[in-house]
Amino acid sequence: MEQVLSGSWKLTLNCTRAEAESISADEFALAMLEPMPALMTSERVADDADQWQLDAYFEDKPDDQTVAAVRALVPSAAEADITLQPVDEQDWVTISQEGIEPVHTSRFYVHTSANRGEIPQGVRPLRIEAGRAFGTGQHETTLGCLTMIERMKASGARFHNIADVGTGTGLLAFAALNLWPAAAVVASDIDPVAMEVTEENAKANGVPLGRLPGQLALATAAGIDHPLLHRRAPYDLIIANILAGPLVELAPRLTSVLAEGGTLILAGLLDRQAATVATAYRRQGMRLAGRMAGEWPTLRLVKRTRYGIGRVRRPGPDGPGLAPGFGSW
């Protein structure tokens, strides 16, 4: 008789490519479920948009309500049979990282302990395990942000005060601190587990933690709702790789803590959602300055300069400076 690892169950549903690409935007529908599944999508038949598969992994056997919630993510499977089965005892790190390849950009090499391979010369290696938090670098949204900030660095952009909102694993905050090592960087996430993972990853990658320039500060927060995030504003660079809905909702608050001329990098949105997200930020005085195209685009926006008596002054290292909108939340 096969030995089964207690708490290991797998639910499989057939789906389409479009459904697979939309699942990340709908995962909040599962946030309150116990057990909370880990979702993975893959092609069943290469280059066939109708032949994809959703696998949901659970720590415990899911009940009918949980199964129904997962099925709701895949409308095409509303009447289809499902496969729910215990999973044989095996290395769950290997399962979660199956099929993951290292990410090699112009300045970084992002890998897991299972796929380290030979690290190329001239790049900064970052070990980010797939597991408890989102953002290993393999997803197009994270890769898009990583590439965008690399391009800004290559063009001569300089930033001194950076926030990574919705940091996940901390990857983008680590990369920003590496690109601008004298900057003050803060990483935040609404999920306390994500902040635990970020702290673990920082230590594993030799990223200094603290609240001084050249160090990474951490804050568990919904959006920017944290005293530390308020005190450190205004920022000249904010990275927010979240989801389209929260990005639209956060538009007034994110822009309120961004300095005039500051840059905002947005990701986590599908191509069909880009116009809606960009419009929400234009209404807050932002202009679209760049875009990385694709099914999961990355937007680069810049805060317009405003003039008038309503501009708020804030002390800074070079004397009193102007921080429009600061303190207006």
Side-chain angles (χ1 to χ4, degrees), residues 303-322:
K303 189 168 185 176
R304 298 179 185 275
T305 300
R306 295 182 178 180
Y307 301 93
I309 61 174
R311 302 173 77 194
V312 179
R313 292 186 174 272
R314 174 177 173 82
D318 301 317
L322 292 172

Side-chain angles (χ1 to χ4, degrees), residues 273-306:
Q273 300 167 324
T276 299
V277 173
T279 297
Y281 284 83
R282 286 193 185 100
R283 290 172 178 167
Q284 303 299 323
M286 305 291 294
R287 65 177 177 84
L288 185 63
R291 170 175 173 162
M292 292 187 60
E295 294 172 325
W296 296 88
T298 302
L299 307 181
R300 178 170 63 89
L301 301 104
V302 174
K303 189 168 185 176
R304 298 179 185 275
T305 300
R306 295 182 178 180

Side-chain angles (χ1 to χ4, degrees), residues 1-13 34-40 53-64 66-67 70 82-90 92 95-96:
M1 180 177 178
E2 292 180 321
Q3 183 179 9
V4 176
L5 180 63
S6 175
S8 305
W9 288 81
K10 176 182 175 182
L11 170 64
T12 300
L13 286 166
E34 290 291 345
M36 175 67 179
L39 304 180
M40 298 177 64
Q53 176 176 307
L54 168 64
D55 293 312
Y57 291 92
F58 299 86
E59 294 180 357
D60 301 295
K61 184 176 182 179
D63 57 22
D64 292 342
T66 301
V67 171
V70 176
I82 65 169
T83 301
L84 178 62
Q85 58 187 359
V87 179
D88 296 345
E89 183 176 13
Q90 51 195 297
W92 276 87
I95 290 178
S96 67

Side-chain angles (χ1 to χ4, degrees), residues 14-87:
N14 293 338
C15 65
T16 67
R17 175 179 175 177
E19 290 169 335
E21 292 172 345
S22 298
I23 282 173
S24 291
D26 293 330
E27 285 187 10
F28 282 118
L30 305 178
M32 301 304 295
L33 293 180
E34 290 291 345
M36 175 67 179
L39 304 180
M40 298 177 64
T41 58
S42 58
E43 290 180 297
R44 289 191 297 121
V45 178
D47 300 321
D48 188 335
D50 293 325
Q51 300 291 324
W52 279 62
Q53 176 176 307
L54 168 64
D55 293 312
Y57 291 92
F58 299 86
E59 294 180 357
D60 301 295
K61 184 176 182 179
D63 57 22
D64 292 342
Q65 179 184 0
T66 301
V67 171
V70 176
R71 189 196 288 271
L73 297 176
V74 186
S76 66
E79 303 298 331
D81 294 335
I82 65 169
T83 301
L84 178 62
Q85 58 187 359
V87 179

Side-chain angles (χ1 to χ4, degrees), residues 74-212:
V74 186
S76 66
E79 303 298 331
D81 294 335
I82 65 169
T83 301
L84 178 62
Q85 58 187 359
V87 179
D88 296 345
E89 183 176 13
Q90 51 195 297
D91 182 350
W92 276 87
V93 172
T94 301
I95 290 178
S96 67
Q97 297 176 1
E98 188 177 40
I100 292 179
E101 296 295 331
V103 172
H104 185 194
T105 65
S106 62
R107 290 178 175 265
F108 299 100
Y109 182 77
V110 186
H111 64 90
T112 67
S113 57
N115 68 6
R116 183 177 185 273
E118 184 175 350
I119 297 176
Q121 292 185 347
V123 298
R124 170 68 158 93
L126 290 169
R127 189 189 67 175
I128 306 292
E129 305 292 358
R132 295 188 294 159
F134 177 79
T136 59
Q138 285 75 20
H139 194 278
E140 191 174 343
T141 61
T142 311
L143 180 58
C145 290
L146 195 61
T147 303
M148 183 69 80
I149 62 175
E150 286 182 339
R151 290 180 179 179
M152 289 192 296
K153 175 67 175 181
S155 70
R158 298 175 64 185
F159 299 107
H160 305 283
N161 194 16
I162 302 170
D164 177 15
V165 179
T167 192
T169 60
L171 170 60
L172 295 175
F174 303 163
L177 189 57
N178 180 265
L179 294 173
W180 295 282
V185 182
V186 58
S188 69
D189 201 289
I190 192 173
D191 184 1
V193 172
M195 298 316 301
E196 292 175 4
V197 170
T198 296
E199 184 173 3
E200 293 169 2
N201 286 338
K203 293 176 180 178
N205 287 282
V207 176
L209 296 174
R211 298 189 176 186
L212 298 176

